[in-house]
Amino acid sequence: MSASPLLELAGIDSFYGQIQVHFDLSLAVPEGAIVCLLGGNASGKSTAMKVILGLLRPRSGHVRFAGEDITGLTTPQIVRRGIASVPEARRLFPAMTVRENLLMGAYQRTDRAKVAEDLASLLDRFPRLGERLDQRAGTLSGGEQQMAAMARALMSRPRLICMDEPTMGLSPLFVDRVLELIGEINRSGVGVFMVEQNASQALSVADTGYVLKTGRVVLSGAASSLLDDPEIRHAYLGKAAA
Ligand SMILES: Nc1ncnc2c1ncn2[C@@H]1O[C@H](COP(=O)(O)OP(=O)(O)OP(=O)(O)O)[C@@H](O)[C@H]1O
Ligand SMILES: [Mg+2]
């Protein structure tokens, strides 16, 4: 029998009031994998992150993490189990310094000495942030804010990091750097769940992809096969269907 996935969404139906956003949404992030959820505007990508993080309780279905049913737990309880998030538009605390923002990522940790060590090693990985520790986060460039939001998420020592459109609005150079960092984070043993509209870039680093259309998974599979799929090429890569 194969081991259970790190994260699993099973049969999720979610609603905002009377409006249904997800219809029987199921997906899995195996241990050690990078999984991307693709889809156009309003398809329910960010809402899927809210369901995982406990910010929206699904009407039916289950979220399981490391074999445990976490549906209905509070966000702090979920974070404590090892899920970190990099939300849409990064959501840093703009008036706080970069250092303060990074330390917020570790707010639930009690191992203070280790937190200081982790901060130091993260700054090796994100040297730009090291140069800007005392700068207010709101004054960072968009690309730097993305780095800071990723570094803040890593400060909780997660087993899974969930990212909402990490490459949105970034210059090609920063897009490449963010994708490289996602690969590095993953190789350090952290599972990655990323939501993206930028299909070709997300699929270039992911192992598996799911395509969401108005709240339903319409296609899923190995990232390499999705990249070759005529429907994906047509709908998301701006290329004519073969
Ligand atoms: N708090 C809310 N209350 C009511 N409806 C909401 C709320 N948040 C999102 N929605 C609706 O749910 C649907 C899915 O939204 P969601 O943000 O998950 O889409 P998305 O795939 O992330 O889109 P985008 O690519 O534009 O970020 C949309 O129709 C949106 O208007
Ligand atoms: Mg969104």
Side-chain angles (χ1 to χ4, degrees):
M1 212 175 83
S2 64
S4 62
L6 182 59
L7 177 78
E8 186 180 18
L9 268 56
I12 299 287
D13 291 323
S14 61
F15 291 75
Y16 290 114
Q18 296 301 307
I19 301 190
Q20 187 161 4
V21 179
H22 294 129
F23 299 81
D24 194 25
L25 172 64
S26 296
L27 58 83
V29 182
E31 193 91 49
I34 302 181
V35 172
C36 66
L37 181 63
L38 306 171
N41 289 124
S43 55
K45 303 182 302 298
S46 297
T47 303
M49 279 206 24
K50 286 189 199 161
V51 168
I52 295 167
L53 268 297
L55 295 164
L56 180 69
R57 190 172 183 159
R59 198 168 291 178
S60 50
H62 293 274
V63 183
R64 294 188 193 93
F65 182 67
E68 181 192 5
D69 191 333
I70 61 166
T71 331
L73 294 189
T74 64
T75 305
Q77 287 171 327
I78 291 169
V79 171
R80 220 172 296 138
R81 279 159 176 75
I83 302 184
S85 79
V86 181
E88 207 166 16
R90 288 114 211 190
R91 303 277 156 79
L92 295 170
F93 301 99
M96 287 166 57
T97 65
V98 170
R99 185 198 315 275
E100 288 164 341
N101 268 277
L102 295 181
L103 290 173
M104 282 301 286
Y107 79 103
Q108 293 210 56
R109 290 176 57 180
T110 50
D111 50 343
R112 287 291 129 193
K114 273 270 178 220
V115 167
E117 258 176 49
D118 286 354
L119 180 61
S121 71
L122 267 180
L123 295 179
D124 286 339
R125 193 184 282 173
F126 297 88
R128 260 174 186 279
L129 298 179
E131 294 160 14
R132 292 172 171 77
L133 276 179
D134 298 314
Q135 188 173 325
R136 283 172 193 252
T139 63
L140 293 175
S141 79
E144 291 165 353
Q145 289 191 26
Q146 183 61 43
M147 309 264 167
M150 287 167 70
R152 182 181 58 183
L154 291 172
M155 284 298 292
S156 67
R157 287 210 161 195
R159 292 178 66 184
L160 175 75
I161 187 166
C162 298
M163 291 190 254
D164 197 341
E165 305 211 34
T167 69
M168 184 159 74
L170 303 186
S171 69
L173 205 71
F174 265 99
V175 168
D176 289 348
R177 184 64 191 130
V178 163
L179 293 174
E180 217 174 87
L181 282 166
I182 290 172
E184 277 176 31
I185 289 167
N186 179 247
R187 284 190 293 279
S188 74
V190 180
V192 177
F193 175 70
M194 63 195 281
V195 156
E196 264 293 349
Q197 285 198 52
N198 192 338
S200 56
Q201 261 142 355
L203 290 171
S204 71
V205 294
D207 300 295
T208 312
Y210 292 84
V211 179
L212 207 55
K213 200 168 179 179
T214 51
R216 291 179 169 85
V217 173
V218 291
L219 211 58
S220 63
S224 54
S225 66
L226 290 180
L227 269 173
D228 290 336
D229 188 286
E231 206 178 318
I232 297 268
R233 292 170 68 86
H234 180 63
Y236 299 101
L237 305 181
K239 292 175 182 143

